[in-house]
Amino acid sequence: MAEETKVKRKRIAATGMMKKIMADYFYEMDKAVKAGAPKVAWCTSVGPAELLRAMGFLVHFPENHGAMLGATRTANDYIPLANAIGYSPDICSYLTSDVGAYLKGETPLSKAYPGIENVPKPDVLVFNTNQCRDVQDWFGWYSREFKVPIMGINTHRGVREVTKSHIDSVARQIASLVPGLEEISGNKFDLERLQETVDLSLECSQLWRQVLETAANIPSPFTFFDGTIHMGPAVVLRGTKTAVDYYKALLAELNDRVDKGVAAVEGERYRLYWEGMPIWGRLRDLSEFFAHLKASVLASTYCNSWIFDAFDPKEPFGSMAKAYTLLFIVRSDEEKEKYIEDMVTKFKLDGIVFHDSKTCPNNTNSRYGMPERLRESLDVNTVTIFGDLNDLRCYSEEQSKTNIEAFIEQLERK
Ligand code: SF4
């Protein structure tokens, strides 16, 4: 492995605003739990957050907490505790690290936000299996632990064409949550409030798309690694004006970078796509390593997963069902490949980095010949890195960097 020159990430000024928004979000939830109102719902990342917010719940996303455990490199302290109660080291390491941290009575929230001692206790747990079955098991564990109701939506998987029957089935399931949520929240369902929330989610999603698409410029002002940090409000605060205002500010800053020709990676020579989960505990290291190779990893399936073009406030239930079923992870390999082909053209990419994430087969697309098929159809180079979202025992830094260097050399020779 060649000697590595350390390259610092370029700071985005809006980061300060985002940190304040995220702090306010967690403190508001902590205050609500201590006061007993408003009620708190836990929701999977692409669960029916708009409905929960419109019903007056504050919404906690355990996957966001899982990502914090990964990013703070504490996940490996906790995974064995979940393994000890029967949750395998081979299943989702968000699940095992989150449950393990709970069992140990610790959370990275305490360090980031003094005064917060625990994750916010839920009044209800609401999942959508559009991403995987693990979320149902994960929420099921907490439902038994906290003795609170669990409810959810079961989505079709491996979908080639999203049809009316898929959408109707999911829309009916979302609507059927309303009576139970009314009872738990003590609030009556208000269609107008749901429409307003869906409208705000749509606006947030459109702005997030524009933010990500600034990366189509040469040089790119924004990387996948930046995206994993700045996606926070799109994940936990979609459906609020706070998230909309944040992305307006971020977009203005990135457009200014584009006007001035500012590159996120100085001397950008190679433009890459990241397919799969982030390796949360190695984000900084990987971003600096790619930057030292003059490679800008500037687009990804992961960050794009919070773009929901289908939201329509006129049809809140149907459009939520459609948006949450059109999701990349729900689709067949044929559809996923078409999607990535479009990305390669739109972002003028030279290559694709696949992350084979040991404990998340659902967000791993390198195991059934996809890299080989894309190499043939697109004439792009690909590399597969073996690792994990949170369990760093599955990741070899030396092996990965050697593979990435060899991949960049191939691009150089092209
Ligand atoms: S999609 Fe993967 S990372 Fe996300 S909850 Fe499911 S198994 Fe975990």
Side-chain angles (χ1 to χ4, degrees), residues 25-38:
Y25 161 75
F26 284 113
Y27 279 121
E28 185 187 18
M29 243 177 334
D30 190 57
K31 194 169 147 212
V33 172
K34 286 170 180 157

Side-chain angles (χ1 to χ4, degrees), residues 63 92-94 131-132 134-135 138 277 329 359-363 389:
E63 286 146 85
C92 175
S93 60
Y94 274 170
Q131 50 195 108
C132 63
D134 297 55
V135 289
W138 185 358
M277 291 298 289
I329 197 170
T359 70
C360 179
N362 313 286
N363 270 317
L389 49 139

Side-chain angles (χ1 to χ4, degrees), residues 340-366:
I340 294 175
E341 285 173 8
D342 286 348
M343 291 295 117
V344 169
T345 309
K346 181 186 259 178
F347 288 91
K348 305 164 203 84
L349 301 172
D350 302 300
I352 304 171
V353 180
F354 281 87
H355 172 207
D356 184 314
S357 183
K358 173 82 168 75
T359 70
C360 179
N362 313 286
N363 270 317
T364 296
N365 287 298
S366 52

Side-chain angles (χ1 to χ4, degrees), residues 191-243:
L191 180 62
E192 232 171 82
R193 197 161 168 205
L194 178 62
Q195 288 174 318
E196 281 163 20
T197 313
V198 170
D199 203 17
L200 284 168
S201 263
L202 175 63
E203 202 180 345
C204 170
S205 166
Q206 287 169 337
L207 285 160
W208 179 234
R209 173 191 274 288
Q210 289 176 57
V211 163
L212 294 175
E213 288 184 353
T214 60
N217 288 282
I218 298 179
S220 169
F222 194 66
T223 67
F224 156 68
F225 301 104
D226 298 322
T228 58
I229 296 164
H230 290 272
M231 65 195 282
V235 177
V236 304
L237 283 164
R238 63 178 191 270
T240 68
K241 188 160 177 315
T242 311

Side-chain angles (χ1 to χ4, degrees), residues 48 127-133 135-137 151-157 165-174 176-177 324-325 330:
F127 64 84
N128 187 343
T129 60
N130 49 1
Q131 50 195 108
C132 63
R133 67 159 279 179
V135 289
Q136 186 171 357
D137 293 274
M151 43 182 93
I153 299 155
N154 289 90
T155 295
H156 313 264
R157 301 288 312 278
S165 71
H166 293 124
I167 296 167
D168 288 349
S169 140
V170 174
R172 269 197 304 275
Q173 293 185 65
I174 301 175
S176 74
L177 302 175
Y324 293 157
T325 309
V330 175

